[in-house]
Amino acid sequence: MTIPLNLPFWKGRRVLLTGHTGFKGAWLSLLLENMGAKVFGVSLAPNTHPNLYEVLSPWTNLKSIFCDIRDRKKLADIVTAVNPEIVIHMAAQPLVRESYQSPVETIETNVMGTVNLLDSLQLVANVTAILIVTSDKVYANHSSNMNMTEDSPLGGHDPYSASKAAAEIVTYSYAQSFFLNRNVSVCSVRAGNVIGGGDWAKDRIIPDLWRAYSSGQTVELRYPEAVRPWQHVLDPLYGYLRYLECMVFAPQDLPRALNFGPPMETIRTVMEVAERFADSLKTQHLWTIKKTDAQLLESTFLSIDSSLAKLQLGWKSMLDVDSAIFWTCKWYKAFKDGQDMLQFSKGQIEDYVSLVNAASISGSVVERQRKYA
């Protein structure tokens, strides 16, 4: 049975969130604001225009601090001044293809940025829980159609995946070496491919398709048969917050890492997602097929087993893939129509919470997904 979030837990709590100007970070900032948390965001300035962080402005309980997490001293000064109780680390170079073009910057950001944050948190007396967000790509994936569990070997063919796997090792090392005796819970989360309104990053299927639709052009699909664990952005974010609650109240009973992804039977190919997104827009001819570059290969099959999160947290995906695509499409169309996107986004959060609350009573959400679409 699904367990809702503990809203009184978050009200007034000091939360340090790195990467708050990114797609997932902005959605998480809005979730935390809605629950009354005092959010301190640390990030680079947004690197796309438009971007969700600015679209959702003005913020009410979010204080933004722009900082490169590779700047160890500046980050340490910020962390000390904020004095957080909860820390969520999302700041990263998040793109596989970008990691081929800038491998050193990717590794510096994703590995040393994590080191700098964890090191600075040793000076914070009030911190109780630290959550490091990595990726489903941390696993040594040999495209063998395996459903990766938290015990699967870590690895990384491309620089991005390798940097995230290294961040996992760093996290475990710091947890055992510096935080265990302080009773500070340090864990990591590995989510599948997220979609949702407000993502304008390059080399991601939904933003690329939306740009193609908006401009009357086409996007090149590099890996149309690649399989990914697609999920709406609110699904893993809700899981992260539920995990943090348990990290504070019952850390001794928790695994140090958890997967958050959809059931294996609902995963889809890139082509299938593109077709469903086009159907939601009532259009076609949004893409062409591009021959892949052998030097920039990505895994053809990715799937993660989230049964441990279900067992430990009472968490599961609220939106199937089709519903997630439909919610995403509705967000972009509302944005194009000039609607108030802060209120629209809050409305989607309210609809999502309604699904969670319904599932906590009945244990079933399938028949309700379309109602809140």
Side-chain angles (χ1 to χ4, degrees):
M1 186 167 291
T2 303
I3 300 177
L5 294 178
N6 181 350
L7 299 185
F9 172 87
W10 294 101
K11 189 172 181 60
R13 199 169 289 270
R14 297 174 69 85
V15 179
L16 175 65
L17 170 61
T18 72
H20 70 292
T21 61
F23 164 57
K24 286 177 70 177
W27 272 107
L28 184 53
S29 297
L30 189 58
L31 267 171
L32 289 166
E33 268 204 353
N34 279 3
M35 295 188 294
K38 296 179 180 179
V39 188
F40 299 84
V42 177
S43 180
L44 296 175
N47 62 358
T48 67
H49 297 283
N51 60 79
L52 185 60
Y53 170 76
E54 292 175 343
V55 167
L56 298 181
S57 298
W59 297 87
T60 54
N61 289 326
L62 169 67
K63 180 179 180 181
S64 288
I65 307 165
F66 294 127
C67 171
D68 190 327
I69 60 173
R70 294 175 296 175
D71 188 333
R72 181 181 177 187
K73 184 180 185 309
K74 184 175 181 180
L75 182 61
D77 289 344
I78 292 170
V79 169
T80 301
V82 170
N83 190 26
E85 301 167 77
I86 300 290
V87 178
I88 308 170
H89 178 44
M90 302 181 85
Q93 191 301 95
L95 302 172
V96 171
R97 291 180 68 82
E98 180 70 22
S99 77
Y100 280 108
Q101 299 167 13
S102 305
V104 174
E105 181 180 359
T106 298
I107 292 170
E108 285 178 343
T109 301
N110 295 352
V111 182
M112 289 309 301
T114 303
V115 170
N116 292 342
L117 177 65
L118 290 170
D119 204 59
S120 66
L121 287 167
Q122 294 187 69
L123 305 175
V124 178
N126 292 330
V127 66
T128 57
I130 304 168
L131 191 67
I132 307 297
V133 180
T134 61
S135 169
D136 61 337
K137 297 175 180 64
V138 298
Y139 297 112
N141 190 319
H142 302 293
S143 297
S144 56
N145 291 5
M146 290 181 60
N147 208 18
M148 300 296 179
T149 70
E150 290 82 356
D151 293 328
S152 297
L154 300 179
H157 171 77
D158 57 87
Y160 168 77
S161 301
S163 71
K164 285 297 192 176
E168 288 276 355
I169 296 171
V170 163
T171 298
Y172 181 74
S173 173
Y174 265 80
Q176 296 298 307
S177 300
F178 304 112
F179 293 102
L180 186 63
N181 292 335
R182 291 179 51 193
N183 293 320
V184 177
S185 186
V186 183
C187 298
S188 64
V189 287
R190 307 156 184 174
N193 288 48
V194 296
I195 61 175
D199 189 2
W200 279 280
K202 64 180 181 180
D203 292 330
R204 286 183 183 159
I205 182 62
I206 296 297
D208 285 348
L209 288 169
W210 177 252
R211 280 188 286 266
Y213 172 76
S214 301
S215 64
Q217 300 177 353
T218 58
V219 63
E220 295 178 326
L221 298 186
R222 299 182 305 273
Y223 305 98
E225 301 305 319
V227 174
R228 296 290 184 266
W230 312 97
Q231 60 187 326
H232 193 273
V233 63
L234 292 176
D235 268 335
L237 294 185
Y238 224 70
Y240 298 172
L241 298 180
R242 174 78 187 117
Y243 197 7
L244 281 160
E245 292 174 1
C246 294
M247 287 167 63
V248 171
F249 289 124
Q252 68 278 2
D253 298 327
L254 291 175
R256 67 173 186 86
L258 282 176
N259 290 337
F260 291 92
M264 188 172 184
E265 61 270 18
T266 69
I267 61 178
R268 298 286 187 271
T269 67
V270 169
M271 178 64 78
E272 288 172 326
V273 169
E275 290 172 343
R276 281 165 172 75
F277 190 71
D279 289 344
S280 294
L281 292 172
K282 296 180 171 54
T283 188
Q284 53 185 338
H285 307 306
L286 287 181
W287 62 84
T288 58
I289 306 300
K290 180 182 179 181
K291 184 177 180 181
T292 58
D293 186 339
Q295 298 299 314
L296 302 179
L297 286 179
E298 300 180 23
S299 298
T300 57
F301 184 93
L302 282 175
S303 179
I304 53 176
D305 184 338
S306 302
S307 57
L308 194 57
K310 182 177 181 180
L311 176 66
Q312 294 284 340
L313 308 180
W315 173 92
K316 63 181 177 181
S317 295
M318 292 291 104
L319 295 170
D320 61 26
V321 178
D322 291 342
S323 296
I325 293 171
F326 189 68
W327 279 41
T328 301
C329 185
K330 283 189 66 175
W331 194 100
Y332 282 109
K333 288 195 290 188
F335 174 80
K336 186 178 182 180
D337 292 341
Q339 293 191 37
D340 183 334
M341 296 314 297
L342 175 59
Q343 294 307 314
F344 188 91
S345 302
K346 287 183 175 181
Q348 287 202 326
I349 288 175
E350 290 172 2
D351 290 344
Y352 186 89
V353 171
S354 296
L355 286 173
V356 174
N357 290 338
S360 70
I361 298 171
S362 69
S364 174
V365 298
V366 174
E367 68 278 7
R368 293 179 173 84
Q369 290 174 347
R370 296 297 177 178
K371 175 181 177 181
Y372 294 105

